[in-house]
Amino acid sequence: MAPKRISTTELRKQNRNRVFRIIYEADAPMTKQEISQKLQMSLPTVTQNLKELLEEQVLTYAGTEESTGGRKARLIALNKNTYFSVGIELSPKHIRFIAINLKAEELAFECVECPFRNTLEYRKTYAEKLELFLDHFGLSRKRLLGVGITLPGVINEQEGMVEIAPVLQLRQMKLSLLTEVIPYPTFVQNDASAGGVAEWWNYDGPAAMAYVFLGKGVGGALMLDGKPFVGIHQRSAEFGHMCIETNGKKCHCGRNGCFEAYCSISCIGDDLGISLADFFQRLEEKDPWIEQIWDGYIDHLAIAIHNIHIILDCEIVIGGSLTPYLSKYMPLLRSRLREKTFFPDEERYLHLGRCSDKANCIGVALHFIDAFLKQI
């Protein structure tokens, strides 16, 4: 069968995207001659596409190349702050807002204390606070690509429902209730899936990566070639409800022995009546009671990480608000992992997340950045 011919319109679109992407991915500004050579594209075609992209202000001139005797060539770079997107994370006690530019760099961040409630008043609250956030940081709505909302629950996009969110005590909630209060393009995503997108982006996109989110809830994402693998019923990588102790502790989901019941950050914070910072301060001071709790936490975390790796055999990234504290204890975690496996590579596949507790916000905002990069 003869290959399908590409229309002139599609070819122009592809050329435009190639010109944009080579500058987007470049480490330094480029001349149009360099772009032409690297893309093996005619200089007139490059010039026309650059003209359009410069007029749209997604590219900008960045000085001139050093002279070699003739006329200095103008350098062209990404205008990374031309457009931005916003991520909103809804959690049991807080609402987080983040704005990121076209390179997924943080432009603004705010965390507001506001307990979750399944009410119109609550939804109006985060919509109003979004507007205040944009105003406070001088973010132009004309440059806003869209607003992503993320929360800890099973999201069924096809049915337009939050099927269940145990830590928020939600079941069968319409996604439209979350988005109808926001007058911009919107997108709703599970928090761990969003975090997985952010960490995949920051780790330069391994072919396969499992993301384990440790927060008030425990969740996860399986990233395959840059996209979350959601499974047949949008429940893939719900690591938090993997049983790691038969007839173990009661979980928010109503079952016993879940990973979340043993490795939620509440286990070493709220449940003890102390903050995470207090817990790790007392751990540093070698408080025997705290050391015993931490030893059990690390052991259960190692069991879960080992189970995930032995099934998926891929890179694993741990993210969430625990990551700033966990760095010092990675040797202990790796040691526990080596005790549980006969594979020789336990030192290499496990990584700490780079986005800390902002990963979920960043990841859901990246939905609009990714869409923009594909269509430009």
Side-chain angles (χ1 to χ4, degrees), residues 222-241:
L222 177 59
M223 303 296 298
L224 298 177
D225 294 324
K227 295 181 180 178
F229 173 76
V230 297
I232 296 172
H233 301 291
Q234 292 77 45
R235 300 168 191 165
S236 172
E238 279 290 339
F239 301 135
H241 300 291

Side-chain angles (χ1 to χ4, degrees), residues 29-320:
M30 302 174 69
T31 66
K32 65 181 177 182
Q33 289 80 8
E34 289 175 319
I35 297 167
S36 176
Q37 290 169 6
K38 290 189 176 183
L39 293 179
Q40 296 184 327
M41 189 181 291
S42 73
L43 200 55
T45 299
V46 170
T47 301
Q48 178 58 36
N49 282 290
L50 286 175
K51 180 177 181 291
E52 293 174 7
L53 293 165
L54 285 161
E55 286 174 352
E56 292 177 29
Q57 299 180 13
V58 291
L59 299 183
T60 185
Y61 287 115
T64 56
E65 195 177 41
E66 288 187 17
S67 176
T68 56
R71 184 178 178 182
K72 293 182 179 180
R74 300 181 81 177
L75 292 167
I76 300 161
L78 175 72
N79 192 1
K80 62 185 180 182
N81 293 332
T82 305
Y83 293 103
F84 70 97
S85 63
V86 169
I88 302 176
E89 181 182 8
L90 308 179
S91 65
K93 294 184 178 181
H94 297 90
I95 303 172
R96 293 182 177 86
F97 299 87
I98 199 163
I100 61 171
N101 66 15
L102 293 178
K103 291 294 281 185
E105 297 167 343
E106 181 182 319
L107 297 175
F109 176 79
E110 188 172 26
C111 181
V112 178
E113 188 171 332
C114 185
F116 180 87
R117 289 168 295 154
N118 185 14
T119 64
L120 178 58
E121 182 185 4
Y122 173 82
R123 296 189 284 274
K124 285 183 176 179
T125 295
Y126 66 69
E128 290 166 2
K129 290 187 181 298
L130 168 63
E131 300 299 337
L132 292 172
F133 173 76
L134 295 173
D135 288 338
H136 179 73
F137 290 100
L139 298 167
S140 170
R141 290 159 179 80
K142 292 180 180 179
R143 298 295 181 178
L144 174 58
L145 296 173
V147 176
I149 301 172
T150 184
L151 72 163
V154 177
I155 309 295
N156 188 328
E157 286 187 60
Q158 292 179 338
E159 299 294 329
M161 300 289 288
V162 179
E163 289 189 350
I164 185 170
V167 297
L168 300 181
Q169 299 181 345
L170 276 183
R171 185 182 292 271
Q172 296 299 308
M173 177 187 184
K174 291 182 179 179
L175 295 182
S176 59
L177 293 176
L178 296 169
T179 60
E180 65 186 9
V181 293
I182 295 177
Y184 312 109
T186 54
F187 172 71
V188 182
Q189 188 175 30
N190 164 268
D191 60 349
S193 294
V197 170
E199 294 295 355
W200 182 87
W201 189 288
N202 275 276
Y203 274 93
D204 298 322
M209 186 194 89
Y211 174 68
V212 178
F213 171 73
L214 302 177
K216 297 289 184 183
V218 173
L222 177 59
M223 303 296 298
L224 298 177
D225 294 324
K227 295 181 180 178
F229 173 76
V230 297
I232 296 172
H233 301 291
Q234 292 77 45
R235 300 168 191 165
S236 172
E238 279 290 339
F239 301 135
H241 300 291
M242 167 177 59
C243 182
I244 58 173
E245 284 281 358
T246 304
N247 300 319
K249 289 168 62 176
K250 196 82 167 179
C251 179
H252 283 110
C253 72
R255 292 162 181 78
N256 296 85
C258 293
F259 179 20
E260 181 173 301
Y262 289 89
C263 291
S264 160
I265 61 169
S266 296
C267 299
I268 53 175
D270 291 350
D271 293 354
L272 306 178
I274 59 176
S275 68
L276 271 183
D278 290 336
F279 180 90
F280 283 99
Q281 177 63 39
R282 290 171 65 173
L283 187 60
E284 284 282 305
E285 295 167 355
K286 300 190 181 301
D287 181 317
W289 179 57
I290 295 294
E291 285 186 318
Q292 183 180 5
I293 292 170
W294 183 239
D295 186 72
Y297 186 99
I298 285 289
D299 204 45
H300 285 104
L301 181 57
I303 291 169
I305 295 295
H306 171 256
N307 289 350
I308 293 167
H309 185 246
I310 206 164
I311 294 169
L312 298 178
D313 187 26
C314 65
E315 302 292 299
I316 296 178
V317 175
I318 299 175

